[in-house]
Amino acid sequence: MSPTAPRSPVAIALVTALASFTIVMDTTIVNVALHALAAEFDARLTTIQWVTSAYVLALASVIPAAPWAMGRFGARRVYLSAIGVFVLGSTLAGLAWDAQSLIAFRAFQGFGGGLITPVAMSLVLRAAAAAGGGRQGMLMSLSGLSLLVAPALGPVFGGWLVDEVSWRWMFLVNAPVGALAVVLGARIIPADEPGRAGRLDVPGLLLLSPGFAALIFGLTRANESPDGFAAVDSWLPLLLGLALVGGFVRRALTTRGPLLDLRLLRHRPLALGLVGLLPFVMGYFGSMLLTPMYFQLVRGDTVMESGLMTIQLGLAAGVTMQVAGRLADRVAPRWIVLPGVLLAATGMGWFTLVAEVGAAEWELRTSLALLGVGAGATMMPSITAASRSVGAADVPAASTLLNIGMQLATAVGAAVMAVLLAGRLGGTGEDPAARADAFQGTYGWAVALLLLAAVPAAFLSRRPPARPDAVAGGARSEEAADEASEIR
């Protein structure tokens, strides 16, 4: 394929899905192996926890710079370089000789991983626009397949690697997959010239990145400490993070050329999509963090068995996402996202009710599959509807806003659910029935968060997307009219 030949948007979406799958799979694999790593390095679990925390902190700190980096160096170059950094970090982590070196290499890995998802989303949206529009939903569903499928497959694959091969291959397996993603990306993703990025908003970066990292740190410490959010090393970083992020918001709304243009949230679909995704992501991913623990602590399953019990969730989510993505190009977003949220809440509620010691396996599997169907109909259609409201020049900033929101919601959801569960598990001892009650009480909060996402979903547009052959101006005018009519 020559450098000037037209690229297939579907091929671009599939290539970005490969790299994103590696990122998400890596995170879920590591989560199930923390106890094994603690034993391997003879380290305390609170120390090994930083194998995950250092990665997340590094990832969070680099995401805000994605729009500037794409403008300064070009999206394709940034994307391929980010994959290269991630692969190098993965290889070094697989060769780590003690807990401290592993934590350091995981942080290096996070610097690459943080740029991959927002840049990938921008590449897919640009490819859809270059192809004439009208296929954003389908392309986003292909690119985002890893977001819902990898968390279900990760525990199974990770359990097998830890039990049968070696913990080192949790990281080394990323090298060949990442190398393939770089080769395919260099061949398929079209080259783009750096634009007018302007100066990097260094004060904004020094406010947002440390603020975001402080929030993640505080949430992580709340998860690790027996005092939860009452611990000084939890609430103090949280307050600092909120102050820094608040300072960034004030600067972003008052200065020219901010790091992230928060004025984009004036676009009603973008604001509604982001507001709806926050509680949904908190409830969904927070509950998914607890589910393997439920199967292990209450039912006595092994790591691999617990992963196999949740695999239908990822499969249902992946299949539904492909159908919902295609519908999102023809059907009004309200009539896809709202039923999706309600289905997810129903599945989570059903699982909560039956998650007892002697629960029937078919009920557990069916309720999780229903949750997966709802998640597949909610997340990518929400992102697609949100991103349609901005022009091509604002796509990098919009995709970064969505990614920052989802990363923070994932971290908040995981920490809050873990703290709530830890509080309920205290004093239950080895009693499976008492443990089941603790999980059910915690899952109730996840159901509430999923239902909360139905409120903004009910205010999404009732009109189908503009026709693919509509001119850009006409499409924008139709969208503006739609927003005005909905407000009235």
Side-chain angles (χ1 to χ4, degrees):
M1 182 180 290
S2 66
T4 58
R7 269 65 166 183
S8 165
V10 173
I12 294 173
L14 290 174
V15 168
T16 59
L18 177 62
S20 298
F21 185 85
T22 306
I23 300 294
V24 181
M25 178 72 82
D26 176 85
T27 302
T28 56
I29 288 176
V30 173
N31 285 341
V32 302
L34 293 179
H35 287 280
L37 291 173
E40 173 70 24
F41 292 120
D42 192 23
R44 297 172 59 186
L45 191 58
T46 53
T47 300
I48 288 297
Q49 180 69 35
W50 281 97
V51 172
T52 297
S53 301
Y55 174 81
V56 175
L57 288 171
L59 182 145
S61 67
V62 77
I63 288 178
W68 175 83
M70 283 185 274
R72 176 66 177 81
F73 302 106
R76 178 177 181 267
R77 188 177 302 172
V78 171
Y79 184 68
L80 297 179
S81 299
I83 298 176
V85 171
F86 179 82
V87 168
L88 178 58
S90 298
T91 304
L92 292 172
L95 301 175
W97 53 89
D98 57 23
Q100 289 70 31
S101 63
L102 179 57
I103 292 169
F105 294 144
R106 281 284 284 170
F108 181 74
Q109 189 183 4
F111 287 122
L115 289 174
I116 290 176
T117 302
V119 179
M121 187 181 296
S122 295
L123 289 169
V124 173
L125 292 172
R126 287 180 181 180
R135 291 197 290 171
Q136 290 98 326
M138 183 269 287
L139 295 173
M140 288 298 295
S141 67
L142 288 175
S143 179
L145 192 60
S146 61
L147 189 63
L148 296 178
V149 176
L153 299 180
V156 181
F157 189 45
W160 178 78
L161 285 175
V162 173
D163 292 340
E164 305 296 334
V165 187
S166 167
W167 67 267
R168 296 185 183 276
W169 278 97
M170 295 189 306
F171 306 108
L172 296 177
V173 73
N174 292 329
V177 180
L180 177 62
V182 170
V183 171
L184 293 176
R187 180 174 177 80
I188 293 173
I189 297 173
D192 59 324
E193 294 297 326
R196 295 182 178 179
R199 291 185 177 180
L200 176 63
D201 180 19
V202 176
L205 186 63
L206 293 178
L207 286 169
L208 184 58
S209 289
F212 196 24
L215 289 173
I216 301 294
F217 178 81
L219 293 168
T220 301
R221 293 303 298 160
N223 186 14
E224 297 171 352
S225 172
D227 296 326
F229 290 102
V232 175
D233 56 353
S234 173
W235 62 259
L236 191 59
L238 286 173
L239 287 180
L240 176 62
L242 288 173
L244 291 172
V245 171
F248 169 79
V249 170
R250 183 177 184 277
R251 175 177 175 80
L253 295 175
T254 57
T255 190
R256 297 179 62 183
L259 182 68
L260 288 178
D261 189 1
L262 298 184
R263 299 179 186 91
L264 289 176
L265 293 175
R266 292 179 300 184
H267 295 278
R268 191 165 178 263
L270 179 61
L272 283 174
L274 181 58
V275 170
L277 281 169
L278 293 179
F280 190 90
V281 168
M282 285 178 62
Y284 179 76
F285 287 106
S287 63
M288 288 305 96
L289 175 72
L290 306 184
T291 303
M293 297 173 60
Y294 159 76
F295 286 110
Q296 294 169 39
L297 294 179
V298 176
R299 295 174 59 89
D301 293 340
T302 65
V303 173
M304 186 179 297
E305 288 171 342
S306 65
L308 289 171
M309 283 295 296
T310 61
I311 197 169
Q312 73 281 347
L313 184 151
L315 296 176
V319 171
T320 305
M321 183 188 291
Q322 302 313 304
V323 176
R326 286 156 177 78
L327 287 176
D329 293 326
R330 301 189 297 273
V331 179
R334 181 183 301 182
W335 309 130
I336 302 173
V337 176
L338 182 57
V341 171
L342 296 178
L343 280 175
T346 301
M348 189 73 251
W350 184 6
F351 183 83
T352 301
L353 291 174
V354 302
E356 299 174 344
V357 177
E361 183 175 320
W362 75 267
E363 285 196 276
L364 296 173
R365 288 188 179 276
T366 306
S367 58
L368 287 177
L370 184 60
L371 172 60
V373 170
T378 299
M379 296 187 64
M380 277 306 151
S382 294
I383 294 174
T384 301
S387 59
R388 274 199 177 105
S389 65
V390 301
D394 294 321
V395 162
S399 64
T400 303
L401 275 175
L402 291 168
N403 274 279
I404 286 177
M406 291 177 65
Q407 287 288 344
L408 185 57
T410 301
V412 171
V416 169
M417 291 297 169
V419 170
L420 290 172
L421 178 63
R424 290 178 176 271
L425 281 177
T428 60
E430 300 295 323
D431 183 5
R435 288 177 173 179
D437 289 340
F439 276 95
Q440 287 178 304
T442 307
Y443 281 136
W445 289 98
V447 176
L449 286 168
L450 295 179
L451 286 173
L452 185 61
V455 177
F459 289 92
L460 291 172
S461 175
R462 294 174 295 179
R463 296 187 180 185
R467 298 185 312 275
D469 57 346
V471 296
R476 291 283 173 238
S477 298
E478 181 180 342
E479 180 185 77
D482 180 46
E483 291 188 26
S485 66
E486 299 257 350
I487 292 173
R488 290 196 294 268

